[in-house]
Amino acid sequence: MSNQRSFFFNVDWLTVLLYLALCVIGWFNIHAAVFDESHPSIIDASTNYGKQFIYINVSIVIAIIILLLENRFLTALAPAFYVVTVLLLILVLLIGRNVGGNQAWINIGGGFRLQPSEFAKFATCLLLARYLSSVNVKVTEVKSFVIAAGIILLPMVLIKLQPDDGSTLVFCSLIFVLYREGLSSYFLIIIGILITLFLTSQVFNELYIIAVIAVITGLFAITIKRNRALVFKIIAGAVISIAFVLIAKPLYNHGLKSHQRARIDIVLGLTKDNRGVGYNQNQSKIAIGSGRLWGKGYLQGTQTKYAFVPEQSTDFIFCTIGEEWGFAGSVVVLGLYLFLILRIVMIAERQRAPFSRIYGYGVASILFFHVVINIAMAIGLMPVIGIPLPFISYGGSSLLSFTILLFILVKLDSNRMGIV
């Protein structure tokens, strides 16, 4: 009895309440996004909102099961989870169903489908946490870094072959886990510089960018001229940057598909195509803007009601929130996400076991990436890449995988005081 009482009090119920609040918000907004007057009941199983109700209940049952498991079960079976998801990712390439141009789904009958790429997220976090928490493993060493990178890259490559670019990019967020475990901040700085140079090279003439790099390099060299080693590194970095600028446009033109370039061009302001490639994003911005401060009210959104925004219950669910609940409702949702992610980081930092801490940062990184990219996509700050809004977007695989991802951490945290 004392163990059950201890377990009850050790569970982070605030995180659980945040999870339930986001699930309920998602359910009601899916109801609004695809509302059918001939099926008004929000629990009608023949509709997407009725199915989401089923998914929420199944997810809660799975969450309870996870909370009843032993921590040793999660750590011991981390490699098995990873292998199973990798096999499913291979299987989906062979027999998967093509939906929206991506062969990412496996039919499981009864109108339900499984998306293995969603489950690969928590499996990768588990194995990465197990490896990095092993004795004598340091991410600052080349061998350890290569193995950790391989754990992340394998599912990325298989998902890219589907091809599902959005889910592929999600795994890039795990670099923050490596950074927390000791990876030099120079890696993040270099990645940030390369992304900036790549994008600016599409907007400005290469000669202007090279001139700016040369001026900045010269100013740094003059300022720290006594430190010859640092000057040499800065000059070497400038040379590499200039070389990258020169190959950025050929990479952009030949390395990306035409529809990918078109989406990026729209965000960068290079083209405007509100009737074609930019239609979804433009309609999403109209819907969000029309909500103003307090929104039009539940089931009153005209953009939503007349289905102007495609994929409104999945990738563009945030525009339903913006239209019907306005700026105020959007801020509440963003506040819940911010609170949840900060709570997860706090939970990760208070862990005694390295495995739990590393896994916690994996959860925070993936949720942060999903939220930022999805909402930025809906308001036109990022290209459309098609990733769901955690706990809110319609989809059984998405909701179930995010539930497992989060509640494994809640379970690990509930037992933190028992770890020496």
Side-chain angles (χ1 to χ4, degrees):
M1 188 73 176
S2 60
N3 289 336
Q4 291 178 348
R5 187 178 301 168
S6 176
F7 166 77
F8 180 84
F9 284 110
N10 285 337
V11 169
D12 194 272
W13 293 109
L14 180 56
T15 299
V16 175
L17 288 174
L18 290 169
Y19 160 80
L20 291 173
L22 288 169
C23 286
V24 171
I25 289 171
W27 180 33
F28 276 90
N29 279 282
I30 292 166
H31 181 238
V34 293
F35 179 70
D36 184 353
E37 292 183 356
S38 61
H39 299 276
S41 174
I42 197 170
I43 60 173
D44 188 336
S46 66
T47 63
N48 282 358
Y49 35 90
K51 289 179 182 178
Q52 189 71 7
F53 177 68
I54 296 173
Y55 298 148
I56 291 172
N57 283 278
V58 170
S59 295
I60 291 173
V61 171
I62 296 296
I64 294 171
I65 292 172
I66 291 172
L67 293 178
L68 296 175
L69 293 174
E70 288 287 337
N71 282 21
R72 288 173 294 180
F73 175 83
L74 298 171
T75 55
L77 290 185
F81 289 139
Y82 185 82
V83 170
V84 169
T85 54
V86 167
L87 291 176
L88 286 174
L89 289 173
I90 295 172
L91 184 65
V92 80
L93 294 173
L94 301 175
I95 63 168
R97 179 180 175 183
N98 193 299
V99 178
N102 297 333
Q103 190 166 320
W105 305 86
I106 297 176
N107 282 329
I108 57 177
F112 295 95
R113 300 172 302 188
L114 182 72
Q115 189 177 8
S117 59
E118 291 294 334
F119 298 94
K121 296 168 189 175
F122 80 82
T124 302
C125 285
L126 279 173
L127 187 60
L128 186 65
R130 171 161 171 164
Y131 175 70
L132 292 178
S133 62
S134 302
V135 179
N136 298 324
V137 171
K138 295 181 180 179
V139 75
T140 52
E141 297 176 354
V142 175
K143 179 182 176 181
S144 298
F145 175 78
V146 170
I147 294 174
I151 291 171
I152 299 170
L153 286 172
L154 178 56
M156 285 182 68
V157 171
L158 293 173
I159 294 169
K160 175 62 179 174
L161 292 174
Q162 293 178 1
D164 184 350
D165 297 322
S167 295
T168 302
L169 289 174
V170 169
F171 288 83
C172 295
S173 66
L174 294 178
I175 192 171
F176 292 111
V177 178
L178 304 182
Y179 171 71
R180 172 60 182 83
E181 293 307 304
L183 186 67
S184 174
S185 57
Y186 285 117
F187 278 89
L188 296 180
I189 294 171
I190 290 169
I191 291 171
I193 290 173
L194 291 178
I195 292 174
T196 302
L197 290 175
F198 183 80
L199 294 176
T200 53
S201 296
Q202 315 313 318
V203 180
F204 302 104
N205 187 286
E206 293 95 326
L207 294 177
Y208 294 145
I209 300 172
I210 292 171
V212 171
I213 294 172
V215 170
I216 293 174
T217 303
L219 291 173
F220 271 109
I222 293 171
T223 305
I224 56 173
K225 58 184 178 181
R226 293 183 180 180
N227 191 335
R228 293 185 177 180
L230 185 56
V231 170
F232 175 78
K233 289 180 181 179
I234 290 173
I235 293 174
V239 171
I240 294 172
S241 297
I242 290 171
F244 183 76
V245 168
L246 293 175
I247 65 170
K249 275 194 175 176
L251 280 174
Y252 183 73
N253 292 328
H254 302 290
L256 297 177
K257 296 178 181 178
S258 59
H259 72 277
Q260 294 171 329
R261 293 196 303 272
R263 290 172 178 176
I264 295 173
D265 287 346
I266 288 171
V267 173
L268 294 177
L270 299 176
T271 59
K272 189 174 182 180
D273 186 11
N274 291 339
R275 294 181 179 273
V277 176
Y279 176 81
N280 291 15
Q281 203 165 52
N282 184 59
Q283 292 297 324
S284 175
K285 290 190 290 184
I286 292 172
I288 293 170
S290 67
R292 300 190 177 182
L293 181 59
W294 300 110
K296 297 176 180 177
Y298 187 56
L299 298 179
Q300 301 302 312
T302 53
Q303 293 291 112
T304 297
K305 186 180 294 183
Y306 298 111
F308 282 105
V309 185
E311 311 298 336
Q312 193 162 346
S313 65
T314 53
D315 298 342
F316 286 96
I317 189 68
F318 188 74
C319 73
T320 304
I321 297 170
E323 182 179 23
E324 299 202 344
W325 303 106
F327 178 77
S330 300
V331 169
V332 169
V333 172
L334 287 172
L336 289 173
Y337 276 123
L338 178 61
F339 196 8
L340 176 62
I341 292 169
L342 290 176
R343 186 71 182 176
I344 291 170
V345 171
M346 188 204 76
I347 290 172
E349 285 296 337
R350 73 186 182 190
Q351 300 306 303
R352 296 183 177 187
F355 175 89
S356 302
R357 182 189 66 245
I358 296 166
Y359 180 80
Y361 270 92
V363 176
S365 298
I366 288 176
L367 289 180
F368 176 79
F369 186 92
H370 266 273
V371 172
V372 170
I373 299 301
N374 180 278
I375 294 177
M377 178 185 72
I379 62 178
L381 295 180
M382 289 287 292
V384 177
I385 59 173
I387 61 173
L389 192 58
F391 313 117
I392 289 183
S393 290
Y394 170 75
S397 293
S398 171
L399 179 59
L400 187 56
S401 67
F402 280 123
T403 299
I404 295 172
L405 181 76
L406 179 63
F407 275 85
I408 287 176
L409 177 62
V410 174
K411 172 57 185 176
L412 293 171
D413 178 64
S414 70
N415 195 44
R416 71 185 184 279
M417 301 308 293
I419 297 174
V420 179

